[in-house]
Every structure is written in C-alpha cells, then in structure tokens.
Amino acid sequence: MNNVYDLVVIGSGPGGYISAIRASQLGLRTAIVEKYQELGGTCLNVGCIPSKSLLDSSKYFFLAKNHYSSHGIFFEKLFFDFKKMMNRKNDIVKNINRGIKFLMKKNKIILYQGIGSFKTVNSLSVKEIKSLKEKQEIKFKYCIISTGSIPSCFPNLNFGNQIISSTEALSLNEVPNKLIIIGGGIIGLELGSIFNRLGSQITIIEVMDKIISNMDDSLSQEIRKILEKSSIQIETSLSITNILVEKNKKEISVFVKSKNEKEMKFTGDYCLLSIGRTPYTKNLGLENIGIHQDQKGFILVNDSLQSNIKNIYAIGDVIGGKMLAHKAEEEGLYAVEHIIGQKPNKLNYDLIPSVIYTYPEVASVGRTENEIKKEKMEYNVGTFPMKVLGRAHTSGCTEGFLKMITHKKTDEILGVHIIGDHAADMIMEASIAMEFRSSSEDIYRICHPHPTFSESFKEAALLNFENRSIHM
Ligand code: FAD
C-alpha cells in the first residue's frame, strides 16, 4: 500500500502544490510528483517571484535616481551592483523553495522527484529526467495534472544566448545595452521596465495596434505614454519577417514589416521573445490513456475541471485561459473540493484580476469598455485621476487613474481598471465588490481611509452614479 494514494498531483507550481496542501488538509492521502529538485514551478523559479524581485530592486534604483532628490534626499554616488541584485533574487527564490518543501512535510505530502507519466487511468511512472527510466510506479484514485507551460518560440528558432525567453532574461549575467522585446504583453512590459531602469535601451515590438491588447484601451494608452516618457520605444502593428544573429558582432537584427508593407530593421544585443506560453505535456503519457487536448495542446476539461477521464483533473496554465498563478491556485482548490464531494462555487473567470508590475502598476478586473459595448449594454463610466489625491502627492506618484464601469440601470459594477501606485493591491477592493455584485453607490457609501490611493474608488463611484465627485 506504500505507493497507493487517494490523490497524486503532477507538478509543484502554484496550482499543484496548493492543491496538494488542501487535499492533505481535507484528509486525502496525497503525493506530488515534480520533475525538478526545486518545487514551486514557473511562478517561483522563473516567473512571478524572480521578476517581482528584480522589478522591486530596479524600482528602488529608479526612484533613487529620479525621485529622491524631490524629497530632499541626495547621494554622493549612486550605482547598482547587478550581481548582488541577481543574488538577492536567487536567495529569495531559494528561501521560498525551502518554504514549500517544509509545507509538503508539514502536511505529510509524499514528494516524488522525476517525470510523472501515465501508465493507466489509475497509475503512473515516476521516471528519471535524463534516461526516462522508470524509478517507481505509483497508484492513485484521483490525479490532478498541473504541469504548467513553457515560453513560446517562433518556428525555426531556438532560445539561446541572445534570443532569449523570460527564463534566460531573469538570469542574465549582464544588463543588455540594447534589448529588443517582441511582444507587448504583461511579461514584455515587466521585463522591459526592469532593464530600462537599469540603463538598457528598450524597443518593444508588438504585432497588434496596441500593447496589453486584452486589457481596457484606456490602460493600454496610458501605460504606453508612461513607458514612452521613460524612453522605452514602443512600435505597434508590425509583423516579424526575420531575426538574424550576427555572432561575431554580438548583434541581433529583427526585420519587420508594417501594415502598409514598409520594411524596418531593429538591432540589439539581445532579443527577448515574450509572445505567449505553450502548455507543457511532454513525456506526460497523455496518449497512453487518451486524454483529450485541443489543437494548441491545452488539456480539455469540463466545468468541474475534469478531463474526459473523470478521475483525472487538470488545472492552471496547462488548461489555458488566463495564465496566472492565482487562477491556477483557485482551480486547484476547486478540483480538490470537488474530488472530496464538496460542492464548491463555480469559479468566476470574469473576476480573475490581472496585474502588471510597472511603475506605476496596472491592475484590472471585470469587463473592459469594449467588451461591454459589444454586449450592447448601457453603461456609465467614472474615471478619477490619481493626481487629485493627497496621497498621490505625498508619495510623488501622481500618474494614472481609476476607471469604474457600471450598468446604467442597475448601477452594478462591471469592470474596474486602474493605473497607479499600489494598483496591484488596490484591485482587490474591486474584486470583492464585484463578487458581491455591489453597485457604485455601495462603494461610495463605504468609508475609505484618508490619505490613501483607495479614495479613488469612492470618487470614481460617485462619478458613476451622480456624475460628479468631491475633489474634481
Ligand atoms: P507551473 O508553475 O508552470 O508549474 C508546473 C510544474 O510542473 C513545473 O514545476 C514543472 O517542472 C512540473 N512538471 C511539468 N511536467 C511534469 C511531469 N510530467 N512530471 C512532473 N513534473 C512536471 N502569474 C501571476 O499570477 N502573477 C505574476 O506576477 C506572474 N508573473 C510572471 C512572470 C513571468 C516572467 C512568467 C513567465 C510568468 C508569470 N506568471 C505570473 C504566470 C505564472 O507563473 C503561471 O501562471 C503559473 O506558474 C502557472 O502555475 P501552474 O501550477 O499551472 O504551472
């Protein structure tokens, strides 16, 4: 009975390890299989945590260089030590790695290191990474697949020393002189911000006519202005025709074509591809048991996150949708509660917040104005600029706004889109309000602490339901 479990989770990213903890807490004999020695998946090792660590370090440098003097703080000589910055990032990751291992032990979750590969619908092999030889066989009643995703690349290209993905970008030994970023989504903007603050010349090339094209247009326009002000070059509506590496000169040339067929060339010492992520199911043995995937390789699941084989669930990046850590976590909790026979609430995918950790931050939840227009719904919009807030002045970050969209008749909040200092933390007020289906009047009538950025909620709410605000 040693290798027999109620639940086996494959993958220890935020979806996987959180599912395992919840399962064990709810009484299931649980094991987790992870390919690498380090737990935590993309998020901890090459995603959320290392990027936020470098975003914070580079932000302090940027603020010290550009803002501290206005506070009366001066430096004789300001410089940064890139190696130390990277070591700090590595230490943070290692500490959290240890923390997750501790949580596995504390919750009596059995850890198998190796590649999990299905043999039958109730058993899998744990294989050596290199030789793919079976180390152990484990049996399960239920399984949750949480094997995540990897960075997408163009066909006929491979990531290497100069054409890099976010993974390599977060472990560079040097700050690029000229970094070309292909893809103006969340990852492109965050990594561009890090290296821009550290002195790289950044060019972002985007195929769509705007950056962060799946967020509200107002956010896209405003963050573009802010990034361009800090000398990030942003080029939109361009398609890539070729990428050439000139090894001797350590130079990369990116050839592009505009919509009217105009050809252009950008050069840099590195080219970061942030063009999306691909579901990761290599060596998982899905074909052995006939689990269905879509054309892009995402595992297909029903509303309860079950694959076509009902005792095998799939969650997180590997099933697509918003590829975010907190979405993977929510799905993991849901899957476990469904397995033990609880009746968890259906996940509300409309209310998964998105955040970009630029300076100021961008955060959004609910529907965009364009989506609401398409639904032909009548709506109100209240947009309150941060520069009116006392707190914005004391902090020195007066850029941005909070835009609230409400239903014209019912006053229900349909979407909130923020650019501003602390937007990442502020968006939770909107999520809670919308989860409880609040109106803008509800928000207006709640006392908000002064002076805070959260006062922008109250002001935008008043704009929505009375078309005026207190401070504007
Ligand atoms: P993953 O975290 O990808 O974990 C999958 C795990 O499964 C990996 O450890 C892998 O080794 C393992 N595995 C795969 N196949 C097997 C197998 N056959 N056997 C055993 N183990 C296997 N999201 C946010 O919410 N906020 C952010 O700020 C944020 N920043 C990001 C920044 C960057 C640069 C990147 C790349 C991503 C960022 N994300 C962010 C996205 C986030 O990292 C992912 O959405 C999240 O990690 C997905 O979790 P997951 O559990 O689905 O998969």
Side-chain angles (χ1 to χ4, degrees):
M1 289 297 282
N2 259 350
N3 290 352
V4 183
Y5 297 92
D6 296 321
L7 174 69
V8 171
V9 179
I10 311 178
S12 72
Y17 89 81
I18 280 174
S19 310
I21 293 175
R22 184 75 178 139
S24 186
Q25 286 175 346
L26 294 178
L28 297 182
R29 183 172 148 74
T30 306
I32 191 164
V33 185
E34 169 54 55
K35 178 173 152 188
Y36 295 117
Q37 293 280 349
E38 295 79 21
L39 306 185
T42 302
C43 171
L44 173 56
N45 296 291
V46 291
C48 322
I49 299 298
S51 60
K52 264 80 263 178
S53 167
L54 294 177
L55 276 156
D56 281 338
S57 298
S58 60
K59 182 173 123 183
Y60 288 129
F61 178 69
F62 167 84
L63 291 177
K65 195 170 157 206
N66 299 298
H67 289 248
Y68 281 11
S69 59
S70 68
H71 293 262
I73 303 169
F74 298 93
F75 297 87
E76 295 258 298
K77 194 175 169 208
L78 181 71
F79 67 97
F80 65 86
D81 179 338
F82 188 58
K83 200 168 166 205
K84 193 156 185 189
M85 218 176 253
M86 291 303 230
N87 286 343
R88 174 182 178 275
K89 180 251 322 172
N90 295 339
D91 288 345
I92 292 168
V93 172
K94 270 189 213 144
N95 265 333
I96 307 181
N97 280 145
R98 276 195 290 271
I100 299 180
K101 275 213 171 120
F102 166 78
L103 286 173
M104 294 299 106
K105 225 178 187 171
K106 181 179 160 209
N107 287 287
K108 302 190 172 48
I109 296 159
I110 309 299
L111 170 63
Y112 291 87
Q113 200 248 310
I115 293 176
S117 184
F118 288 105
K119 290 176 105 172
T120 70
V121 296
N122 289 106
S123 68
L124 54 82
S125 288
V126 180
K127 295 181 175 174
E128 294 274 2
I129 298 193
K130 281 197 183 137
S131 65
L132 291 181
K133 274 197 193 132
E134 179 173 287
K135 295 205 279 188
Q136 277 128 333
E137 185 189 58
I138 50 182
K139 296 202 160 117
F140 56 82
K141 274 194 211 143
Y142 295 95
C143 178
I144 297 180
I145 304 172
S146 183
T147 50
S149 62
I150 51 168
S152 305
C153 196
F154 288 123
N156 311 324
L157 270 188
N158 288 313
F159 293 120
N161 293 337
Q162 285 170 271
I163 299 177
I164 56 176
S165 72
S166 53
T167 302
E168 291 81 26
L170 290 168
S171 289
L172 287 176
N173 294 321
E174 59 178 7
V175 175
N177 290 321
K178 282 167 87 181
L179 173 63
I180 301 170
I181 298 177
I182 302 182
I186 298 183
I187 293 177
L189 264 51
E190 289 191 350
L191 295 178
S193 295
I194 294 172
F195 291 111
N196 171 251
R197 293 166 191 167
L198 300 180
S200 304
Q201 195 181 315
I202 307 285
T203 306
I204 296 178
I205 301 174
E206 169 59 53
V207 64
M208 308 287 282
D209 60 357
K210 55 192 168 214
I211 54 173
I212 50 166
S213 55
N214 52 359
M215 291 178 104
D216 196 83
D217 277 357
S218 61
L219 297 181
S220 166
Q221 284 155 17
E222 184 72 5
I223 196 64
R224 181 170 184 160
K225 267 193 254 158
I226 292 171
L227 295 176
E228 284 178 337
K229 220 168 82 187
S230 63
S231 304
I232 293 183
Q233 185 186 352
I234 297 175
E235 302 286 345
T236 46
S237 303
L238 294 179
S239 52
I240 310 295
T241 52
N242 203 0
I243 301 180
L244 283 181
V245 183
E246 293 185 48
K247 286 220 168 78
N248 301 340
K249 286 203 271 174
K250 206 192 166 200
E251 188 173 275
I252 293 198
S253 304
V254 176
F255 298 86
V256 298
K257 214 195 263 174
S258 69
K259 283 208 169 119
N260 55 11
E261 301 288 304
K262 195 178 149 210
E263 294 187 351
M264 283 182 269
K265 173 179 148 181
F266 298 94
T267 56
D269 44 348
Y270 289 92
C271 174
L272 164 68
L273 299 190
S274 51
I275 53 171
R277 295 183 60 88
T278 306
Y280 187 72
T281 55
K282 195 173 164 196
N283 295 323
L284 192 52
L286 294 182
E287 62 290 352
N288 298 339
I289 53 171
I291 287 197
H292 295 165
Q293 291 167 271
D294 72 7
Q295 281 184 339
K296 291 184 176 159
F298 291 108
I299 296 178
L300 293 168
V301 290
N302 63 15
D303 280 356
S304 304
L305 302 171
Q306 291 163 298
S307 70
N308 54 309
I309 294 168
K310 291 290 170 269
N311 64 321
I312 300 180
Y313 291 64
I315 61 165
D317 282 8
V318 79
I319 63 167
K322 279 192 176 175
M323 287 178 146
L324 292 169
H326 42 281
K327 180 240 177 207
E329 291 173 15
E330 287 310 309
E331 289 176 337
L333 298 175
Y334 178 93
V336 169
E337 289 169 10
H338 192 263
I339 285 169
I340 67 155
Q342 290 184 354
K343 291 194 169 52
N345 278 345
K346 288 269 174 272
L347 295 178
N348 190 347
Y349 285 99
D350 287 340
L351 293 191
I352 292 174
S354 297
V355 172
I356 314 177
Y357 292 80
T358 41
Y359 181 72
E361 292 167 346
V362 180
S364 175
V365 68
R367 276 170 275 191
T368 65
E369 194 170 344
N370 276 342
E371 284 167 347
I372 293 168
K373 271 186 197 154
K374 271 192 203 139
E375 288 175 48
K376 302 215 172 2
M377 216 185 272
E378 285 192 284
Y379 64 94
N380 288 332
V381 178
T383 302
F384 188 78
M386 296 298 176
K387 66 175 181 232
V388 181
L389 296 174
R391 186 72 187 103
H393 287 274
T394 62
S395 81
C397 185
T398 51
E399 287 167 309
F401 54 78
L402 186 145
K403 169 173 168 178
M404 184 183 286
I405 312 177
T406 48
H407 194 286
K408 196 161 202 140
K409 289 205 180 93
T410 64
D411 192 30
E412 180 175 351
I413 302 172
L414 303 172
V416 173
H417 309 285
I418 317 174
I419 293 197
D421 212 0
H422 307 293
D425 293 289
M426 285 213 299
I427 199 66
M428 260 325 284
E429 175 169 350
S431 293
I432 294 170
M434 290 167 71
E435 193 66 62
F436 288 108
R437 303 196 64 177
S438 309
S439 63
S440 68
E441 185 174 359
D442 292 330
I443 297 298
Y444 165 68
R445 299 207 179 278
I446 295 172
C447 179
H448 285 69
H450 174 75
T452 59
F453 283 91
S454 73
E455 288 169 285
S456 57
F457 272 104
K458 193 179 170 87
E459 295 272 15
L462 187 55
L463 273 169
N464 268 274
F465 91 95
E466 265 189 21
N467 200 19
R468 61 182 151 209
S469 71
I470 302 292
H471 287 91
M472 232 177 38

